[in-house]
Amino acid sequence: MELKFIRRMGIFDKILGKKNPEKQIGTYKEFWDWFLTKEKTFFEIVKNREHIEEQFFDIMAPELSKINDGYYFLAGMCNENTAELIITVEGDVKKMIFAEELVAAAPEIENWKFTALKPETNIENVGIRMNECEFTKDNIYFYSNEIEGYPDEIDLAFVYENLTEENKGSATTGICIFLDNFLGELNFATQIDTFGIIGKNEAEKELVPIEKLKEFLLWREREFTEKYKDLQTLENEDQFSLLEATLENGMPLMATVNASLLKYDAKASYPWISVLKISYDGSNNNGFPEEKDYNTMNIIEDYAAEILTPENGHLYIGRETADSCKSIYFASKDFRQPSKVFDQIIKDNPQYKISLEIYKDKYWQSFEHYNVN
């Protein structure tokens, strides 16, 4: 199947630090109703591979952006009679649920197959060439690192046979693209906690062929699931601590954190950390919000806590306020519901500049600085 990117791959965006603005104008149904009016023309364009950029990609992109700016897409022929449209978010975890929902809402259309997120690929069909570097199953290996005190952490070293100091940037990008295609978008984004890319001369363990990576990750996933399967829902004791500090720029900081949760011995069962950052004007109040903003942000925080409950697999960690920014923290068993809840909060509060980050941190290392004796 030949697939074509509508924009450059998101892995480049991550490496270069590109950010996408948030918005939602249309609905899933409106998009598919529109697609139905074009699908026969689109099918012929994809099948014949003529004027695909101008007559398919350039027309599709603005329609998708009406729903969410995080969408990218690929298109190609599965076989002679079926075109496939893959909706991807290029590994952005907080956007994945929206790709899944969009495809779930797709109608049955003859000659079309719709797929959410880039699927995994047989390793025999994965080969990447970039800046005179080639990445295949024959020149990439891996091994797992054990990290003391963090037994559930999946930290991998990927070994590239042809790594040099000069091509390290290209090699990092190329191997990420290789893994994204080999494992599939969802698995690459969620199954590996941390990784590094090294040359053969830096390897400290026996090299494992890259084709064994899927098997290894499935084994670790089964092991993890078995370890925590009988864990009861954590009852939040709500033992909060108030902390005060001073930033490097001299501005005061105040934080309220659930001290009892920071001592929880099964943090890895809530590996997804959500951080909602709300920027406000604190110029007249030493970096802290005025009463109106203070009350509004409390309402936002309370709303999130009412939905993201322990019963639903989420833990409220606390909040931090300083230098005209309030950060709200949650830990979750899965990333999908926080993605939707915080995305809606952002859309419902355009008066503030709000950003959302969702990342995997099995041992809540992000909060270690709050552990005080």
Side-chain angles (χ1 to χ4, degrees):
M1 176 175 61
E2 295 190 24
L3 301 176
K4 183 178 176 67
F5 288 103
I6 176 59
R7 306 182 196 174
R8 66 178 180 163
M9 292 191 65
I11 191 68
F12 289 97
D13 296 342
K14 282 190 265 186
I15 291 170
L16 296 173
K18 179 181 175 182
K19 301 294 184 182
N20 287 320
E22 308 272 353
K23 69 174 181 177
Q24 183 159 347
I25 300 171
T27 65
Y28 301 140
K29 184 178 184 304
E30 287 171 344
F31 171 78
W32 290 117
D33 285 347
W34 170 85
F35 189 88
L36 280 166
T37 67
K38 305 282 188 181
E39 59 92 6
K40 288 183 173 56
T41 301
F42 286 163
F43 176 80
E44 292 300 325
I45 291 169
V46 174
K47 183 177 181 179
N48 296 326
R49 298 177 60 192
E50 293 181 0
H51 309 294
I52 192 168
E53 194 79 38
E54 303 87 354
Q55 296 183 15
F56 180 48
F57 292 147
D58 290 349
I59 295 172
M60 274 279 292
E63 292 299 321
L64 277 173
S65 71
K66 290 179 181 178
I67 305 172
N68 198 310
D69 275 340
Y71 290 127
Y72 301 81
F73 62 95
L74 310 167
M77 297 300 294
C78 293
N79 54 54
E80 188 177 342
N81 299 310
T82 306
E84 181 173 17
L85 176 65
I86 299 175
I87 304 297
T88 169
V89 293
E90 300 299 357
D92 188 344
V93 168
K94 66 181 180 291
K95 299 284 189 180
M96 286 184 172
I97 180 61
F98 302 109
E100 293 171 341
E101 287 185 339
L102 177 61
V103 170
E108 290 286 336
I109 305 178
E110 187 178 3
N111 302 125
W112 280 97
K113 176 185 178 183
F114 304 109
T115 301
L117 309 176
K118 284 176 285 184
E120 62 183 75
T121 305
N122 187 305
I123 198 164
E124 300 296 336
N125 299 325
V126 183
I128 306 295
R129 182 178 290 276
M130 176 174 295
N131 295 342
E132 299 182 358
C133 292
E134 190 171 4
F135 306 92
T136 72
K137 68 180 182 64
D138 298 319
N139 59 20
I140 303 173
Y141 307 86
F142 80 98
Y143 61 82
S144 176
N145 294 307
E146 287 75 44
I147 304 177
E148 186 177 355
Y150 304 104
D152 296 313
E153 193 88 353
I154 299 177
D155 178 73
L156 302 180
F158 290 106
V159 181
Y160 179 50
E161 221 172 43
N162 305 317
L163 186 71
T164 66
E165 197 61 41
E166 292 73 27
N167 69 17
K168 193 161 189 177
S170 296
T172 299
T173 302
I175 289 175
C176 286
I177 296 172
F178 180 94
L179 295 170
D180 194 47
N181 283 273
F182 174 42
L183 298 176
E185 185 174 353
L186 178 64
N187 292 336
F188 180 41
T190 62
Q191 289 186 333
I192 301 171
D193 297 314
T194 55
F195 67 89
I197 295 170
I198 60 175
K200 261 190 171 181
N201 61 323
E202 301 173 87
E204 298 177 350
K205 293 186 178 182
E206 182 180 350
L207 303 186
V208 182
I210 196 66
E211 53 259 46
K212 294 185 179 294
L213 179 60
K214 288 182 183 178
E215 181 183 344
F216 169 80
L217 292 173
L218 287 173
W219 168 66
R220 290 296 302 269
E221 193 172 81
R222 287 194 300 269
E223 187 181 59
F224 182 82
T225 302
E226 183 69 22
K227 181 176 180 179
Y228 293 103
K229 71 175 183 178
D230 296 323
L231 193 70
Q232 299 297 312
T233 300
L234 180 65
E235 293 296 330
N236 193 340
E237 299 177 20
D238 291 335
Q239 296 179 2
F240 287 93
S241 296
L242 179 63
L243 306 174
E244 298 183 18
T246 302
L247 300 176
E248 290 185 2
N249 63 5
M251 299 292 281
L253 176 149
M254 292 188 67
T256 303
V257 296
N258 194 325
S260 57
L261 286 183
L262 297 184
K263 299 174 183 177
Y264 184 41
D265 60 2
K267 295 184 180 75
S269 60
Y270 292 84
W272 291 102
I273 305 301
S274 300
V275 184
L276 189 75
K277 292 189 175 183
I278 308 173
S279 296
Y280 56 85
D281 183 4
S283 57
N284 296 321
N285 199 25
N286 211 17
F288 291 124
E290 302 289 349
E291 183 177 2
K292 181 180 177 182
D293 291 324
Y294 177 85
N295 292 334
T296 301
M297 290 188 293
N298 277 349
I299 291 171
I300 291 172
E301 187 176 0
D302 290 343
Y303 170 76
E306 285 175 9
I307 299 175
L308 301 174
T309 63
E311 293 76 18
N312 291 328
H314 314 284
L315 302 175
Y316 170 65
I317 305 298
R319 62 179 177 268
E320 182 179 284
T321 306
D323 203 8
S324 300
C325 182
K326 177 173 183 175
S327 300
I328 303 169
Y329 304 100
F330 282 83
S332 303
K333 290 182 176 293
D334 186 66
F335 57 85
R336 289 173 175 83
Q337 190 177 20
S339 299
K340 293 198 66 176
V341 170
F342 289 126
D343 185 76
Q344 193 59 52
I345 285 174
I346 292 170
K347 292 177 173 64
D348 289 343
N349 294 275
Q351 72 274 31
Y352 297 111
K353 180 182 178 182
I354 308 179
S355 65
L356 172 63
E357 185 179 5
I358 298 181
Y359 57 91
K360 205 173 189 182
D361 182 4
K362 282 180 179 171
Y363 290 92
W364 300 8
Q365 296 177 65
S366 309
F367 306 118
E368 285 183 351
H369 60 286
Y370 289 129
N371 286 313
V372 292
N373 296 323

